[in-house]
Amino acid sequence: MLQQNRPPSPAKAFESVGTAPAWSSVALTKFRAPQLRASIVPRLPLLQRLQALTTLCRVTLVCAPAGFGKSTLLAQFAAQPGQAVETVWLSLDEDDNDPNRLFVSLLGVLRKIPLEWPADPQMLASQVDSGGPGARAAVAGLINALCSYRGERLLLIIDDLHRINDEGALRLLDAMIDRLPPEVGVVIGARVEPELSLPRWRAHGELGELLAADLQFNETEAFAFAGARLADTVSPELVQQALARTQGWVAGLQLLFGSANMIARPGSEAPIGDADRHLFDYFAAEVLAELPPDLRDFVLQCSILPELDPARCAAVTGRSDMRQALVELYRRNLFLTVLDEKTPVLRLHDLFRDYLQNELARCSPGLTEELHAKAAAAEPVSPRAVMHWLKARCWEEAVALIQRCAEPLLAEGGFALIERWIQQLPEEMQQQRPEVAYLQGMCRWVQYDFIGMREPLERACAGYRLRGDTGSLARTLFTLTRSLQSTGDLASCAALLQEAESLELDPHLRAAFYSVRACQALADGRPDDVAPALQAMVDAAELDITTLYPAVSDVFNGFFYGLPGAQAPLQRLHELCVAWSKRQPVHWQVEAMAHTALPYFWHGDRQATAAALEGQWRFHERMAGLPALWLNLHRLTSWMLATGGEFEQAITMHRRNFQIVDSPAFGTLAASWRRQLILYLACVYWMAQDVQGLAQLLPILKPARRPEEWPVLDVGRALAEGRHALLAGQLIEAESALSRAQELYRSWRIPSYMGNPRISLALLRLAQGDRYAAWAEFKPVLDEALNEDCIGDLLLEPREPLARLLGLIPSAERKGYDAILARLATWRTAPLSPVASGDNSHRLSERELEVLQRIAGGDSNKQIARTLELSPHTVKRHVANILAKLDAATRRQAAAWWREHYGGAG
């Protein structure tokens, strides 16, 4: 198999991809704090406590059961006049319950804050598909943006965090909070303690807390609250009775004072908790009974809406007097908050909405689904409309809208939300509808589940064939063929390519299949057929540059370099991607092709390669969550280091790739990816003439190929065995292995995997004392390099042995090879810049290096602050930046990096 990349997204699979805001699929009302009534009870002592906590602590938690006034208190805090802090508001809902959707909402809440983003926010979001490396990289990008905040204090108010129970989402939020710069804090509203690092924050004095006991109304507040809701004079006895029955529970007080005839009735004096809503339901029934019939029907029907505004309410109820009805609800002090008084936009409290929905289902069975269908048809926010269609059990409409939502969601990594939607569809529809099967396959693809994606994509193809939908079939065939190539089922892939030939393809899809055909030719042992397929891609792009995507999806990986006739079309594809990316925002795979240094390396222009590699590193720093990009970059950087004799650094760079493929993202295919990486590492050991290093790799390469591995692995195995035998002086064994490698290489050749066996055979002939035979082996290599105008094969050879081969060139023929010899002579000079060599130290400031040195020495933050005469907050910010820049999860990892690069502790 070859490393494959994430596919194009469904709806715009074969179009130019721009950059819509990452939060475009999120309702903007999530970012609005509830508006306060003029009659709100001021809670100045509590607000002062909250302000003091947010000033002193990184995190402030307002935690109490439902109905204790958490959101109202936070809204009062955010609206305080003359506050020296800037606040932003995020109300969470069930759609935020995965890492990607939570991250997108965090991006949305910061959308109006002037920050310097190190990468496009949508690209950051696309890297968050779990709590793994992609999420860490995205959090690092968000933290770096927050570090550019120029204000005095910024507070992120996150309300309703109890809606989040996904472990990955909570880990992401935890990591973000841990790395916040000192001028940024978080205020959390939740019904229960969230699964965050609360104990550690408490121990370090970084957590402020307001709990249910703090939020209970006292007699003075209850008296003021009653006065705002009862027209008659309020007696102290009435207030005391209400307090006794509710124990200061704000929701209970609101319902009691909203219906005066309930005050005299006996009621439970038990504490009100989140698990016991019986008293609330009892009170709510009385409040609902007192409403005029038309208003009662209105609020029951509209309870299915997340928010109430005139347009949505009119769609659900069919009434035309929506503004008046909403104003009347507001006037009656019902259990709701106001998001926008002008429109108006109201939100029912969770407790009240749950009660109303239960009452609606009891009184009017079946009406709920009808109302959801009406709401869906009028809902402008697509994810909310999907939710309504699903609750209405309108499966066809739900599937159609999920398809339309899939493109932007997959572009920003939102596969988990799509999967949750699909799971709510009937099992029969999940299995039999090709559109659903296609989306299931795409969701598996973006998780690098190459095996798991095959079955749903095959179901999708079967469904589209039965339907006669050739356009959708062609699109699915494209994705499925790449899955089959990734898992080594080349025969099935060839059959699907033949089927695709019979279909009428649009220009973008036709260009995409050229890429698949190039990969198939490589895998099938037809190297001469690769260049024509690449040239067809070039021809298509010359006519319409937008056909480059998704055609270049795998071309930038590098395994086509060094094949017959491939250098020219690859160089041109690179130039076209550069031109397109300068013209407009493009998909990251086009940018990757635009930034690759491979064409310069394979051509042999060292200066251009070093400059391009530096640019490639800077580009990849913005794309930290995309494994395929880093695998390619580490490999090329390793080669560059090895050509300069920096073998230890080159091997360390390759070992970074093993850490990537050992991550959970690669699942069952990790072992195959490791063997692919072993071939690259064997090439570096060969360049270093390290016989022991090669010996360590042979047992890993020895087992027979797995079904998902391509025949090219047999070439690499034989070549590594032959090179090891040659270095060990075992010439007979070397002859056997290298001859086998050369024979296989005629068909299955990927020079960028391993180099050229023919050069090793030429060195074997030298070791056997036969200079004429050595030249006979080596001359075709030089001739091909001259004809192709690329010397990559030669660059992947050890320096001194290669010099001996070059010395075999007859003097009469030497002039014909002057261009190659001149290029080789200048290649091995001048060290790489720190950026181009992958040295992260260039990203650390001088002060950060000082702090890192103290971390490596075992100092705590307080000790570092004393030693360097810094404030504790400044030290924390430096530590957060160091971890982000080094992509380290812990101080221990950062300390290990220091010792690796600087040879010891502080």
Side-chain angles (χ1 to χ4, degrees):
M1 62 166 282
L2 289 179
Q3 61 192 47
Q4 297 280 353
N5 299 296
R6 293 187 179 183
S9 46
K12 290 190 178 178
F14 308 109
E15 301 173 16
S16 167
V17 177
T19 52
W23 50 86
S24 58
S25 60
V26 178
L28 295 182
T29 48
K30 290 165 61 74
F31 310 129
R32 295 182 192 170
Q35 295 191 6
L36 302 172
R37 295 174 179 270
S39 60
I40 197 76
V41 175
R43 310 191 72 185
L44 296 180
L46 197 56
L47 287 170
Q48 289 169 355
R49 284 184 59 191
L50 181 55
Q51 185 167 359
L53 291 173
T54 59
T55 301
L56 295 173
C57 303
R58 179 203 304 262
V59 188
T60 303
L61 174 65
V62 181
C63 185
F68 268 87
K70 299 180 296 295
S71 298
T72 300
L73 178 68
L74 294 177
Q76 285 179 285
F77 174 74
Q80 286 185 101
Q83 267 214 133
V85 299
E86 188 173 3
T87 60
V88 291
W89 183 282
L90 171 60
S91 294
L92 298 176
D93 57 39
E94 58 272 11
D95 282 350
D96 297 305
N97 196 29
D98 71 67
N100 176 269
R101 292 293 86 197
L102 178 59
F103 188 80
V104 167
S105 289
L106 290 170
L107 292 178
V109 80
L110 296 171
R111 70 198 186 285
K112 293 187 177 179
I113 304 296
L115 300 173
E116 298 172 10
W117 290 91
D120 176 68
Q122 184 181 32
M123 191 56 62
L124 291 176
S126 71
Q127 302 178 56
V128 181
D129 53 16
S130 67
R136 290 199 300 272
V139 167
L142 186 149
I143 293 300
N144 286 336
L146 287 172
C147 286
S148 69
Y149 178 67
R150 303 297 183 189
E152 186 175 330
R153 181 71 165 157
L154 173 64
L155 289 177
L156 281 65
I157 300 177
I158 303 176
D159 198 19
D160 294 334
L161 187 60
H162 52 270
R163 298 180 185 275
I164 306 301
N165 55 31
D166 179 83
E167 290 183 7
L170 291 170
R171 280 198 306 269
L172 182 144
L173 183 60
D174 201 87
M176 184 200 77
I177 292 173
D178 262 341
R179 296 186 175 188
L180 287 175
E183 61 272 16
V184 181
V186 172
V187 184
I188 293 171
R191 295 181 185 175
V192 295
E193 281 197 358
E195 294 294 324
L196 300 173
S197 300
L198 301 184
R200 174 162 54 83
W201 296 335
R202 281 193 192 102
H204 293 168
E206 296 179 325
L207 177 66
E209 295 178 272
L210 292 177
L211 304 178
D214 302 300
L215 271 65
Q216 288 174 334
F217 268 33
N218 58 33
E219 188 171 339
T220 302
E221 292 169 332
F223 197 86
F225 193 65
R229 282 157 177 75
L230 297 177
D232 300 330
T233 303
V234 182
S235 68
E237 292 77 13
L238 185 64
V239 172
Q240 290 168 1
Q241 183 184 2
L243 277 175
R245 295 180 64 184
T246 63
Q247 297 194 356
W249 182 45
V250 183
L253 290 172
Q254 182 169 347
L255 287 165
L256 278 171
F257 296 144
S259 182
N261 67 337
M262 287 193 294
I263 297 299
R265 296 187 181 183
S268 170
E269 296 186 7
I272 305 300
D274 192 52
D276 183 4
R277 298 189 179 184
H278 297 304
L279 185 57
F280 180 90
D281 290 352
Y282 172 70
F283 291 161
E286 295 290 339
V287 170
L288 192 64
E290 292 180 355
L291 294 178
D294 62 333
L295 196 58
R296 181 170 60 248
D297 292 343
F298 169 80
V299 74
L300 281 170
Q301 293 175 16
C302 292
S303 67
I304 64 139
L305 297 170
E307 291 153 6
L308 282 61
D309 65 16
R312 289 179 172 92
C313 292
V316 168
T317 66
R319 292 172 50 169
S320 59
D321 58 341
M322 292 301 93
R323 182 178 294 275
Q324 295 91 323
L326 291 170
V327 170
E328 179 64 14
L329 285 181
Y330 179 68
R331 187 190 67 78
R332 286 175 173 268
N333 283 322
L334 286 187
F335 214 49
L336 49 81
T337 55
V338 182
L339 301 178
D340 183 345
E341 287 187 352
K342 185 177 180 180
T343 302
V345 181
L346 310 179
R347 179 183 293 151
L348 296 171
H349 191 284
D350 288 350
L351 283 172
F352 196 36
R353 185 175 65 246
D354 290 348
Y355 167 77
L356 293 171
Q357 290 179 356
N358 289 333
E359 189 68 9
L360 177 66
R362 185 183 68 83
C363 298
S364 304
L367 181 59
T368 299
E369 292 178 5
E370 180 184 334
L371 296 174
H372 275 296
K374 293 178 179 179
E379 177 57 59
V381 179
S382 294
R384 283 189 174 176
V386 171
M387 177 269 293
H388 284 304
W389 285 127
L390 290 170
K391 290 184 177 180
R393 303 177 65 83
C394 294
W395 311 125
E396 295 294 335
E397 292 85 351
V399 168
L401 187 53
I402 292 170
Q403 282 186 279
R404 294 199 295 274
C405 290
E407 187 274 328
L409 284 174
L410 287 176
E412 59 192 34
F415 66 86
L417 179 59
I418 298 173
E419 289 182 326
R420 289 201 297 273
W421 287 339
I422 291 175
Q423 288 166 5
Q424 296 177 58
L425 296 171
E427 182 66 25
E428 181 181 0
M429 180 166 278
Q430 292 184 42
Q431 294 298 318
Q432 296 182 6
R433 287 295 297 271
E435 300 92 340
V436 177
Y438 177 73
L439 290 177
Q440 288 173 321
M442 297 297 285
C443 288
R444 303 317 301 165
W445 180 285
V446 297
Q447 298 173 74
Y448 291 93
D449 185 358
F450 302 108
I451 295 175
M453 66 183 289
R454 176 173 179 172
E455 187 272 334
L457 288 178
E458 287 180 334
R459 277 193 286 113
C461 286
Y464 287 134
R465 290 187 190 104
L466 286 174
R467 188 182 294 176
D469 185 350
T470 57
S472 297
L473 173 61
R475 177 191 61 186
T476 310
L477 285 174
F478 168 70
T479 308
L480 180 55
T481 53
R482 297 172 75 203
S483 166
L484 296 173
Q485 288 176 346
S486 297
T487 53
D489 190 349
L490 303 178
S492 296
C493 185
L496 293 185
L497 279 172
Q498 275 193 320
E499 181 180 1
E501 288 280 1
S502 66
L503 302 176
E504 188 171 337
L505 306 176
D506 66 52
H508 289 82
L509 194 50
R510 186 176 303 281
F513 271 109
Y514 292 142
S515 173
V516 178
R517 291 190 184 98
C519 288
Q520 189 70 17
L522 193 62
D524 283 343
R526 297 178 284 111
D528 291 336
D529 292 343
V530 171
L534 296 177
Q535 186 58 50
M537 289 171 57
V538 172
D539 295 340
E542 298 282 12
L543 294 173
D544 179 359
I545 199 168
T546 66
T547 62
L548 284 170
Y549 178 77
V552 298
S553 298
D554 283 317
V555 174
F556 67 83
N557 275 320
F559 41 73
F560 294 131
Y561 289 90
L563 295 174
Q567 181 68 18
L570 288 170
Q571 177 66 39
R572 184 56 184 152
L573 285 170
H574 167 67
E575 293 167 354
L576 288 167
C577 287
V578 170
W580 192 20
S581 62
K582 287 181 178 179
R583 187 181 308 172
Q584 67 184 72
V586 294
H587 192 277
W588 66 263
Q589 291 173 347
V590 177
E591 275 201 90
M593 188 66 181
H595 283 89
T596 183
L598 277 169
Y600 307 106
F601 177 85
W602 221 259
H603 174 67
D605 187 334
R606 190 190 187 287
Q607 186 175 358
T609 305
L613 188 58
E614 183 165 337
Q616 191 171 345
W617 268 99
R618 296 193 186 281
F619 167 67
H620 283 51
E621 286 168 4
R622 299 190 285 112
M623 311 290 292
L626 298 171
L629 290 180
W630 287 98
L631 294 173
N632 297 326
L633 179 59
H634 291 156
R635 182 176 77 245
L636 179 55
T637 304
S638 178
W639 288 343
M640 288 287 285
L641 292 166
T643 60
E646 301 288 345
F647 297 115
E648 257 190 61
Q649 285 181 262
I651 291 167
T652 298
M653 186 64 59
H654 260 307
R655 294 200 182 280
R656 292 187 187 181
N657 280 349
F658 290 106
Q659 296 172 1
I660 292 175
V661 300
D662 286 341
S663 69
F666 288 85
T668 56
L669 294 180
S672 300
W673 285 66
R674 283 185 64 84
R675 295 227 290 186
Q676 179 179 329
L677 298 180
I678 289 293
L679 295 181
Y680 299 143
L681 185 56
C683 186
V684 175
Y685 280 133
W686 168 246
M687 295 171 74
Q689 297 286 274
D690 186 342
V691 63
Q692 291 183 342
L694 278 170
Q696 293 172 1
L697 303 182
L698 294 182
I700 305 173
L701 292 173
K702 186 175 182 180
R705 277 191 295 114
R706 297 178 179 85
E708 66 270 15
E709 292 176 318
W710 287 10
V712 72
L713 178 69
D714 297 333
V715 187
R717 181 195 298 117
L719 182 55
E721 291 171 351
R723 285 170 168 175
H724 172 263
L726 181 56
L727 289 176
Q730 302 164 351
L731 301 189
I732 295 176
E733 292 84 350
E735 172 94 40
S736 173
L738 291 176
S739 297
R740 184 168 70 254
Q742 174 58 19
E743 182 61 32
L744 292 170
Y745 190 75
R746 299 180 196 279
S747 298
W748 290 286
R749 58 183 293 183
I750 304 183
S752 61
Y753 260 42
M754 68 208 53
N756 191 331
R758 194 155 200 166
I759 301 176
S760 299
L761 267 175
L763 290 172
L764 172 64
R765 301 301 176 222
L766 271 184
Q768 293 169 335
D770 191 339
R771 293 172 59 85
Y772 294 104
W775 172 241
E777 292 285 1
F778 188 53
K779 185 178 187 304
V781 176
L782 284 182
D783 290 341
E784 183 175 338
L786 193 63
N787 293 333
E788 298 286 339
D789 196 23
C790 60
I791 61 171
D793 282 3
L794 302 173
L795 295 176
L796 298 181
E797 293 298 321
R799 183 180 303 183
E800 294 306 321
L802 180 63
R804 293 198 298 273
L805 289 177
L806 293 173
L808 298 176
I809 302 176
S811 52
E813 299 181 42
R814 196 169 188 85
K815 188 173 181 59
Y817 300 112
D818 276 352
I820 290 176
L821 296 174
R823 226 178 292 164
L824 286 171
T826 59
W827 182 260
R828 304 172 196 275
T829 61
L832 290 173
S833 70
V835 180
S837 65
D839 182 356
N840 284 335
S841 62
H842 78 276
R843 303 173 62 191
L844 300 179
S845 68
E846 186 175 340
R847 177 62 83 185
E848 287 166 350
L849 286 170
E850 290 177 337
V851 172
L852 180 55
Q853 183 181 13
R854 304 315 311 162
I855 292 174
D859 285 2
S860 67
N861 281 3
K862 289 184 178 179
Q863 291 170 321
I864 296 172
R866 284 198 299 269
T867 302
L868 301 181
E869 298 182 347
L870 300 172
S871 72
H873 276 308
T874 302
V875 173
K876 290 177 186 176
R877 176 173 179 174
H878 285 316
V879 172
N881 287 344
I882 289 167
L883 295 177
K885 291 180 179 181
L886 298 182
D887 191 26
T890 65
R891 293 166 69 100
R892 181 177 296 179
Q893 291 177 1
W897 183 93
W898 172 272
R899 287 189 283 272
E900 178 185 337
H901 286 77
Y902 292 93

